[in-house]
Amino acid sequence: MKKSILLWMFAVLVGCTTPNLLLDGGFLAAADYFPVTGRQGWLINQRLGFASFVTGKVDRDWDKTSTLEIGDFESVRQAGAYRFSFSDGADNVAQLDCKSGEDSDHVNLRGVLGGDARWIVDAESFLNCSLLEWGETVAWKLVMAANDEHLHGYLFSSKEAMPVYEVLGTDELEGSAWPVGKIVGYLVYRDGLQLAAIQVMNEGGVWIDSKLSPVERRRLASLAAALLLYSPSES
């Protein structure tokens, strides 16, 4: 009941205003903000854009469900995929290939109790992306998962001496006294320092630290595009 009330209040809030993520004031002062286009309306031949960055046509697979049954237990995977090229409007930046979905375990007692006697006993959402920067041979990996919490994970490379970025889902809005109970964006950190934020509610928005090198800004813009195009599985 509490979660339903929070989601209803969130819907009212979004319908009446255009709230932003709750962000640290120091980060906001150092960041450039870019509104996003391409997330609304009919998504066939979808192309996403912000600042000078733009995706190629986003290629999506239909979500598929597979089930493994062992006695009264079922392991279910609902998964889909999407892939796209990414450029800064003049040059290619990266190629991204993402897979997302949910793994869940069920107890099925329909044969004994009849009706809808089937319960989820565990579930985990996931988002995994490969990010190949233009001209490079080593791909970056985004690995994120959530079990009763918001997605949390890391963007990293197997190449030595490369940074590791922590990516945290958030449900906190500016001006709200409590979390809204629904993910509204992601915060990106390197060595505890916030470098970017991605708002995924409404049309979307991206903040990137203005002091970063062009290479790192392009990398974080690619990450932002992957998160803006991610759609959680519907159970």
Side-chain angles (χ1 to χ4, degrees):
M1 177 65 73
K2 181 179 179 181
K3 183 177 180 180
S4 298
I5 293 172
L6 286 174
L7 290 176
W8 175 81
M9 294 181 69
F10 170 76
V12 171
L13 177 63
V14 170
C16 298
T17 63
T18 306
N20 287 324
L21 301 179
L22 178 62
L23 298 174
D24 176 76
F27 166 72
L28 280 175
D32 293 325
Y33 170 72
F34 310 110
V36 176
T37 61
R39 297 187 71 236
Q40 304 296 327
W42 194 247
L43 299 184
I44 293 178
N45 298 323
Q46 180 184 16
R47 294 177 188 270
L48 187 82
F50 55 92
S52 62
F53 297 105
V54 63
T55 71
K57 185 178 73 171
V58 181
D59 179 23
R60 293 185 183 272
D61 296 340
W62 293 103
D63 283 5
K64 296 179 181 178
T65 300
S66 58
T67 303
L68 175 64
E69 298 184 20
I70 303 176
D72 294 330
F73 293 90
E74 298 176 354
S75 180
V76 179
R77 163 163 284 205
Q78 182 181 1
Y82 58 98
R83 59 200 65 84
F84 59 95
S85 60
F86 194 63
S87 79
D88 64 3
D91 299 311
N92 293 320
V93 171
Q95 182 71 34
L96 291 95
D97 191 338
C98 298
K99 295 178 175 60
S100 65
E102 182 179 85
D103 293 322
S104 55
D105 295 324
H106 304 249
V107 174
N108 186 349
L109 297 179
R110 289 170 177 162
V112 177
L113 302 177
D116 293 323
R118 181 175 180 266
W119 299 274
I120 295 177
V121 294
D122 189 32
E124 180 177 82
S125 299
F126 65 88
L127 171 63
N128 300 324
C129 297
S130 172
L131 190 166
L132 182 61
E133 294 180 336
W134 190 253
E136 297 292 333
T137 58
V138 178
W140 290 77
K141 299 291 185 182
L142 173 66
V143 178
M144 302 186 70
N147 191 326
D148 296 326
E149 298 291 341
H150 298 312
L151 282 178
H152 170 209
Y154 298 90
L155 176 69
F156 59 92
S157 170
S158 59
K159 197 172 182 179
E160 292 185 8
M162 297 302 284
V164 174
Y165 303 93
E166 185 176 17
V167 186
L168 300 171
T170 179
D171 61 357
E172 294 188 278
L173 287 176
E174 184 179 38
S176 177
W178 52 75
V180 297
K182 176 182 175 68
I183 194 162
V184 293
Y186 301 90
L187 311 177
V188 183
Y189 297 85
R190 171 175 40 78
D191 299 326
L193 177 67
Q194 186 170 2
L195 302 182
I198 301 96
Q199 181 166 298
V200 297
M201 56 181 288
N202 299 332
E203 289 80 5
V206 177
W207 293 260
I208 299 178
D209 191 319
S210 60
K211 300 186 298 296
L212 299 179
S213 70
V215 170
E216 195 162 28
R217 284 170 67 86
R218 289 194 294 267
R219 182 177 302 142
L220 294 180
S222 302
L223 168 63
L227 294 169
L228 286 161
L229 290 167
Y230 164 64
S231 299
S233 296
E234 298 292 340
S235 300

